């Protein structure tokens, strides 16, 4: 009798505590997926700094689309969120992705329940947005950039959809103190003192993380939101990079891959260890220098050889780490209200004197060009990127390991388009009705920020403009008296909302969206909200979701902002910050009441969520793909000097060379333009390690932080080019024999593409 009681007690405890193991009903269906979205690594202007001289010429590490789907197990309701290693979402990309998903799945995924968000790296290829002002420096529309995004997003969703399985989601939050500072403190200080007194810091320090747990396989991913700009990499960098958030995602995915195989502890006490993979790929090799040198001597560099594209795909390190039938772990570091938040946490200093920049205008002796923010690895931007990425990664692992609160409740969503060029906005507390304005950019926009200053004599905090630039502006498009008054005190430099030649320069109809997963609300905003603007929006929405008898979200309601989502419309400041006209205020397109307009429209969506009522779809944005103009010249032909083959080594490592951990091995190959083949889901660069004396296995590739692929040609019109591959030997690299390989694709005069590979002389790492 006692044994029977113990048996049923055990079953009861399992039902209570072993959720996800014996429960027949899961909270949700969950599916995650990722795919390569690395665009053209040559000739294309990078998106973010609007610096026409910042042209892509290689890869720091690859860019990815990472998606999660959450669905109700016994209903039709689901949401899809895609995080992009890209500067921002694009309305045109969103439209075409939705078309692709409709063709595959019918109406399951649509504009109402799909959110596509960018991390705001300033080191990705541009030319994929449809509005003129965002593609001027890229010489117009770049179809290859656009296609890489649309194709990659679609494939990430396909993988997530195919991975849909019963599972649970946990939410956690915590403060990260050393990954962002306010780059426009003078504007922040113009907010009411009573409001500022409610907050300890002038930037948001909180990270919110979701942990996805499959009923059978256990953890399969995490997504988090934290505010800091993707500007650790500078405006002069030319290597494609996910910047600090892309780096954090790479670190966390590798950390999980290793911890699940036992080579890195997943205990909280070990969560600060940066992941490395090679120790569990290769059988142990005795650390005997002489014997290793003898092994290496048998492998000299080889002439370039013709190969197939699949050789690059098969060489990818992470392809060997995928476990059969198990979903790949996906980790995304998403963007939120980062508008005035810089990762350059040491502050802004003058390059000429080393002194702090002017507080109000961020100038040095009246010039903004000399004022730069400094990251924690200054003067090494790669090191700053690693440090800020590592700090986010460490916090995410901590939250991941301690997440206990489950998301429970409905899946729901609301979406609407709003014409922000002429929106009536009811101002709270005084009954006034104001209007937003057609888009316009102020003089301080051209001044840039301390993350990337502009040129000429523009300054932040400029409420007047100057006569010369107004004359130049008027030649392009002079704003009318009504527009000048509506945008006041912003002095208008570019009246983009009223510029229509050759097609629209700026958006008018913007998407606003709320995705609900249980007690979590994700606010999809199409721009960069400043710290205080984001706080006001979150508070306003939360007050609706939890007010009175409509508290369907429960007492633990959580609200996060997903910035730069579904399209892009630049910045959103508070009314008070707008008056100061620093960069963010000058880039708040629709005038001083833009934030009030957002709060008004999001409160409508929140009210509809709580009552179960629909909302009006609003005016659709245009699809202007057929109008796009691209002036980037195509690749004509690739060539090599007489007697040289594609893939031949131009500069090799020295024979019998040994590299210690922390040093750099560099090899230069004769190459061809990377635009010929993006090597999607493949690699341009590979570090191999000798296994057992005769076979080579992949150890690192161009999706690793320690490998850099840099491409160059001697002149713009030259058909000759070279690829420099650098491997910064990690401290955790295993002693052994290594070599470096390059994969590429060359275009003939007749347009055919030939894939090739080259291999360096082997060398020893101790």
């Amino acid at each position: 009798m006692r044994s029977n009681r113990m048996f049923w007690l055990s079953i009861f405890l399992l039902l209570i505590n072993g959720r996800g193991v014996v429960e027949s009903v899961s909270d949700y269906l969950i599916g995650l997926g990722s795919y390569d979205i690395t665009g053209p690594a040559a000739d294309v202007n990078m998106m973010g700094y609007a610096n026409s001289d910042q042209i892509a010429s290689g890869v720091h590490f690859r860019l990815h689309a990472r998606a999660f789907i959450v669905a109700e197990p016994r209903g039709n309701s689901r949401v899809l969120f895609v995080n992009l290693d890209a500067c921002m979402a694009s309305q045109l990309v969103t439209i075409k992705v939705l078309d692709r998903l409709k063709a595959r799945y019918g109406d399951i995924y649509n504009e109402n329940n799909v959110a596509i968000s960018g991390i705001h790296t300033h080191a990705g290829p541009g030319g994929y947005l449809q509005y003129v002002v965002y593609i001027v420096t890229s010489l117009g529309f770049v179809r290859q950039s656009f296609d890489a995004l649309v194709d990659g997003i679609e494939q990430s969703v396909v993988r997530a959809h195919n991975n849909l399985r019963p599972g649970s989601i946990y939410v956690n939050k915590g403060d990260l103190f050393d990954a962002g500072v306010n780059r426009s403190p003078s504007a922040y200080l113009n907010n009411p003192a009573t409001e500022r007194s409610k907050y300890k810091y002038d930037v948001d320090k909180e990270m919110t993380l979701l942990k996805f747990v499959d009923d059978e396989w256990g953890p399969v991913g995490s997504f988090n939101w934290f505010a800091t700009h993707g500007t650790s990499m500078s405006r002069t960098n030319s290597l494609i990079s996910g910047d600090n958030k892309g780096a954090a995602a790479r670190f966390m995915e590798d950390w999980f891959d290793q911890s699940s195989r036992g080579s890195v502890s997943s205990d909280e006490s070990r969560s600060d260890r940066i992941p490395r993979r090679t120790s569990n790929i290769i059988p142990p090799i005795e650390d005997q220098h002489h014997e290793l040198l003898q092994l290496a001597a048998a492998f000299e560099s080889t002439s370039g050889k013709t190969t197939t594209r699949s050789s690059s795909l098969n060489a990818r390190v992470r392809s060997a780490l995928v476990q059969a039938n198990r979903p790949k772990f996906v980790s995304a570091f998403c963007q939120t209200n980062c508008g005035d938040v810089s990762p350059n946490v040491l502050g802004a200093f003058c390059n000429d004197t080393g002194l702090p920049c002017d507080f109000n205008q961020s100038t040095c002796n009246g010039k903004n060009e000399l004022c730069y923010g400094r990251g924690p690895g200054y003067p090494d931007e790669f090191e700053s990127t690693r440090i800020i990425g590592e700090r986010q990664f460490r916090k995410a692992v901590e939250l991941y390991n301690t997440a206990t609160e489950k998301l429970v409740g409905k899946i729901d969503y609301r979406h609407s388009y709003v014409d922000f060029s002429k929106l009536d906005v009811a101002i709270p507390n005084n009954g006034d009705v104001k209007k937003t304005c057609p888009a316009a950019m102020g003089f301080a926009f051209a001044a840039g920020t301390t993350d990337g200053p502009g040129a000429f004599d523009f300054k932040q905090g400029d409420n007047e403009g100057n006569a010369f630039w107004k004359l130049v502006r008027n030649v392009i498009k002079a704003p009318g008296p009504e527009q000048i008054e509506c945008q006041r005190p912003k002095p208008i430099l570019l009246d983009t909302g009223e510029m229509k030649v050759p097609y629209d320069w700026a958006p008018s109809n913007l998407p606003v969206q709320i995705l609900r997963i249980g007690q979590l609300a994700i606010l999809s905003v199409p721009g960069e909200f400043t710290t205080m603007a984001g706080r006001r929006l979150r508070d306003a929405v939360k007050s609706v979701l939890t007010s009175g008898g409509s508290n369907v979200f429960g007492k633990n309601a959580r609200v996060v902002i997903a910035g730069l989502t579904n399209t892009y419309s630049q910045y959103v400041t508070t009314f008070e910050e707008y008056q100061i006209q620093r960069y963010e205020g000058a880039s708040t397109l629709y005038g001083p009441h833009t934030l009030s307009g957002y709060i008004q429209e999001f409160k409508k969506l929140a009210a509809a969520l709580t009552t179960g009522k629909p909302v009006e779809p609003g005016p659709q944005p245009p699809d202007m793909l057929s109008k796009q103009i691209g002036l980037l010249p195509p690749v004509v032909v690739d060539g090599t000097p007489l007697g040289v083959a594609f893939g031949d080594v131009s500069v090799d490592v020295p024979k019998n060379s040994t590299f210690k951990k922390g040093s750099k091995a560099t090899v230069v190959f004769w190459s061809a333009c990377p635009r010929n083949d993006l090597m999607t889901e493949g690699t341009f660069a590979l570090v191999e390690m000798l296994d057992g004396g005769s076979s080579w296995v992949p150890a690192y590739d161009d999706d690793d932080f320690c490998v850099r692929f840099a491409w160059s040609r001697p002149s713009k019109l030259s058909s000759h080019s070279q690829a420099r591959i650098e491997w910064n030997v990690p401290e955790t690299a295993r002693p052994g024999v290594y070599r470096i390989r390059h994969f590429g694709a060359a275009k003939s005069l007749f347009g055919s593409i030939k894939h090739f590979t080259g291999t360096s002389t082997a060398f020893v790492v101790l």
Side-chain angles (χ1 to χ4, degrees):
M1 185 73 176
R2 182 176 182 272
S3 62
N4 286 340
R5 285 199 302 268
M6 291 300 296
F7 171 80
W8 289 110
L9 177 60
S10 299
I11 294 297
F12 175 77
L13 290 174
L14 281 172
L15 289 170
I16 297 298
N17 298 321
R19 305 190 66 174
V21 178
V22 298
E23 271 192 328
S24 60
V25 179
S26 298
D27 299 299
Y28 303 112
L29 300 177
I30 60 172
L32 288 82
S34 67
Y35 202 81
D36 189 353
I37 58 169
T38 309
D43 302 331
V44 176
N45 184 249
M46 288 185 164
M47 183 62 198
Y49 287 115
N51 175 17
S52 59
D53 293 328
Q54 189 188 15
I55 305 298
S57 62
V59 177
H60 178 209
F61 58 91
R62 288 192 166 262
L63 309 180
H64 298 271
R66 297 174 170 93
F68 75 74
I69 300 169
V70 183
E72 294 179 348
R74 292 171 303 280
N76 296 322
S77 194
R78 66 180 58 198
V79 295
L80 162 62
F81 188 93
V82 185
N83 190 63
L84 304 178
D85 288 345
C87 195
M88 66 281 290
S90 154
Q91 185 66 70
L92 190 57
V93 168
T94 300
I95 290 171
K96 296 309 178 184
V97 167
L98 292 173
D99 287 348
R100 296 266 192 100
L101 297 181
K102 183 177 179 64
R104 280 184 179 271
Y105 303 113
D107 294 326
I108 292 177
Y109 304 107
N110 53 69
E111 64 187 15
N112 297 315
N113 66 351
V114 174
I116 301 174
S117 183
I119 63 170
H120 210 37
T121 174
H122 286 43
Y128 62 91
L129 289 90
Q130 69 174 348
Y131 297 102
V132 173
V133 74
Y134 306 127
I135 56 176
V136 170
T137 57
S138 62
L139 300 179
F141 189 69
V142 180
R143 185 68 194 230
Q144 201 172 29
S145 295
F146 174 81
D147 286 343
L149 283 166
V150 174
D151 293 345
I153 295 169
E154 179 189 18
Q155 291 304 314
S156 74
V157 175
V158 168
R159 290 180 174 181
H161 182 88
N162 292 341
N163 286 334
L164 272 172
R165 299 161 51 89
S168 300
I169 308 170
Y170 296 82
V171 62
N172 202 0
K173 65 178 182 179
D175 288 339
L176 173 58
F177 295 105
D178 53 359
V181 296
N182 198 304
R183 69 184 187 188
S184 290
S186 60
Y188 180 88
L189 289 173
N190 206 45
N191 291 306
T194 52
E195 182 180 35
R196 288 187 281 110
S197 67
K198 296 190 297 183
Y199 304 98
K200 190 173 181 180
Y201 304 102
D202 60 1
V203 296
D204 284 342
K205 302 291 187 180
E206 187 173 273
M207 176 183 285
T208 299
L209 178 137
L210 300 182
K211 177 180 181 179
F212 296 86
V213 182
D214 184 285
D215 279 1
E216 178 181 357
W217 291 108
V220 290
S222 68
F223 277 58
N224 71 73
W225 289 264
F226 177 77
T228 195
H229 249 74
T231 49
S232 292
M233 300 297 289
S234 74
R235 68 192 300 272
T236 60
N237 163 63
S238 65
L239 300 186
I240 289 175
S241 173
D243 208 277
N244 56 70
K245 286 188 176 290
R250 169 52 52 237
F251 295 159
M252 189 154 185
E253 288 175 348
D254 286 350
W255 166 80
F256 182 85
D257 284 341
Q258 288 194 43
S259 64
S260 65
R261 289 165 175 77
S263 62
V264 177
S265 171
S266 60
D267 295 338
E268 183 183 1
S269 62
R270 299 287 300 281
S271 67
D272 62 344
R273 180 170 177 176
I274 296 299
R276 299 293 182 259
R277 298 177 309 286
T278 54
S279 61
N280 69 335
I281 293 178
I282 316 298
I285 296 178
E286 292 297 325
D287 186 12
Q288 297 181 6
H289 191 197
H290 180 70
E291 292 181 12
L292 292 176
L293 283 172
Q294 284 185 320
L295 277 173
F299 299 95
E300 295 186 355
S301 64
T302 60
S303 299
K305 298 177 181 179
T306 300
T307 186
T308 62
R309 189 181 189 282
S310 61
S311 62
S312 171
L313 299 178
N314 296 334
R316 283 197 70 185
V317 171
R318 288 161 189 82
S319 298
L321 298 177
V322 176
Q323 297 183 37
N325 301 319
R326 180 190 174 103
K328 179 183 176 183
F329 187 85
V330 177
S331 182
F333 285 68
C334 311
Q335 196 55 269
T336 179
N337 56 320
C338 68
D340 53 358
V341 187
S342 170
N344 296 311
V345 295
L346 298 185
F349 295 87
C350 297
N351 278 355
D352 55 347
T353 65
L355 298 174
C357 304
D358 173 78
F359 181 78
N360 291 315
Q361 293 190 312
S362 298
T363 55
C364 301
N365 295 319
K367 296 183 178 181
N368 69 299
E369 298 96 324
L370 298 175
C371 177
Y372 279 88
R374 295 180 179 177
Y378 175 84
D380 186 341
E381 61 188 306
F382 294 95
E383 182 66 3
S384 291
T385 300
R386 185 195 65 78
I387 292 170
I388 296 297
E390 180 182 322
R391 288 171 181 175
Q392 291 176 79
F393 155 68
R394 290 179 176 180
K395 175 54 66 173
V397 171
E398 175 190 321
L399 297 177
Y400 171 92
N401 282 331
T402 58
T404 57
E405 179 187 340
K406 293 181 72 172
L407 293 183
V408 292
K410 289 182 61 177
I411 302 295
D412 207 349
Y413 44 84
R414 293 294 184 276
H415 175 285
S416 182
Y417 291 107
V418 179
D419 185 351
F420 267 82
S421 70
K422 52 182 179 181
L423 179 66
D424 289 327
V425 181
I427 304 301
N429 303 324
N430 65 13
D432 288 350
V433 176
K434 302 291 185 179
K435 270 190 177 293
T436 56
C437 326
M441 297 157 70
F443 274 65
F445 159 79
T449 71
T450 56
D451 291 336
F456 304 109
D457 54 351
F458 294 102
K459 298 180 180 64
Q460 295 195 70
D462 183 357
N463 286 349
E464 301 295 332
N466 68 57
F468 173 77
W469 289 111
K470 286 181 179 178
L471 180 63
V472 174
R473 171 201 68 188
N474 292 344
V475 171
I476 302 172
K477 171 68 174 72
E482 185 177 348
Q483 173 75 325
I484 291 173
E485 183 59 33
C486 186
Q487 292 279 352
R488 194 176 301 280
K490 177 198 293 177
I492 297 172
L493 177 63
L494 289 172
D495 191 15
T496 52
E498 298 181 314
M499 296 165 66
K500 306 295 182 182
V501 178
Y503 42 87
D504 291 358
W505 279 57
S508 295
N509 301 333
L510 303 178
V512 292
Q513 179 187 54
I514 301 180
L515 305 180
R516 178 190 176 184
I517 309 171
Q519 65 268 34
L520 173 71
I522 302 172
L523 313 184
S524 302
V525 302
E528 305 174 58
F529 279 54
T530 62
T531 299
M532 194 64 84
R535 289 167 175 170
R536 290 185 190 178
L537 178 63
R538 287 197 306 261
D539 289 348
V541 170
K542 189 171 184 178
S543 69
V544 175
L545 297 178
T546 59
S547 61
S550 66
N551 187 8
V552 296
F553 276 64
K555 64 180 181 180
N556 293 325
R558 297 179 183 271
V559 178
V560 297
I561 291 173
L564 305 113
T565 300
N566 293 327
T567 189
Y568 184 62
S569 59
Q570 293 174 249
Y571 284 75
V572 180
T573 65
T574 67
F575 177 86
E576 295 82 1
E577 291 165 348
Y578 187 90
Q579 308 307 307
I580 302 301
Q581 281 297 294
R582 283 183 64 93
Y583 175 83
E584 295 81 13
S587 304
T588 297
L589 297 184
Y590 307 102
H593 304 292
T594 301
L595 174 60
S596 295
Y598 273 106
I599 291 173
Q600 172 182 283
E601 298 306 307
F602 268 97
K603 288 176 73 173
K604 291 178 183 178
L605 298 184
L609 267 179
T610 61
T611 60
K613 295 180 179 179
V615 294
E616 292 295 323
Q620 287 279 334
D623 175 347
M624 298 192 294
L625 181 59
S626 63
K627 298 182 179 180
Q628 296 302 308
I629 299 171
L631 302 178
L632 180 69
V635 179
V636 177
V637 65
D638 292 291
T640 58
L642 188 64
V644 174
F646 291 108
D648 279 1
V649 174
S650 173
V651 179
D652 205 352
V653 294
K655 289 185 178 181
N656 301 315
S657 58
T658 298
F659 294 90
K660 295 191 178 295
K661 297 169 185 180
S663 63
K664 179 168 64 178
T666 302
V667 181
V668 180
F669 297 88
W670 287 102
S671 190
C673 185
R675 291 163 60 194
N676 295 326
D677 190 328
L678 304 183
M679 298 298 177
T680 303
E681 292 286 291
T683 183
F684 290 108
L686 182 67
V687 178
E688 293 180 317
M689 185 176 184
L690 186 62
D691 178 18
S694 60
S695 61
W696 295 89
V697 294
Y700 301 88
D701 60 25
D702 69 5
D703 202 15
D704 276 292
F705 199 89
C706 61
V707 176
R708 299 176 196 170
F709 162 69
W711 177 84
S712 63
R713 56 164 70 98
S715 65
K716 286 186 177 181
L717 299 179
S718 176
S719 64
H720 297 174
S721 64
Q722 293 187 327
R724 187 181 75 254
I725 297 175
E726 298 177 355
W727 180 38
N728 294 281
V729 183
E731 292 295 330
T732 50
R734 181 166 177 198
V737 177
Y738 291 82
R739 68 181 186 183
I740 292 174
R741 293 183 67 190
H742 169 45
F743 296 92
K747 185 177 183 179
S748 74
L749 191 59
F750 303 102
S752 61
I753 300 296
K754 179 181 72 173
H755 289 83
F756 62 87
T757 186
T759 306
S760 77
T761 294
F763 53 91
V764 172
V765 168
L766 289 180

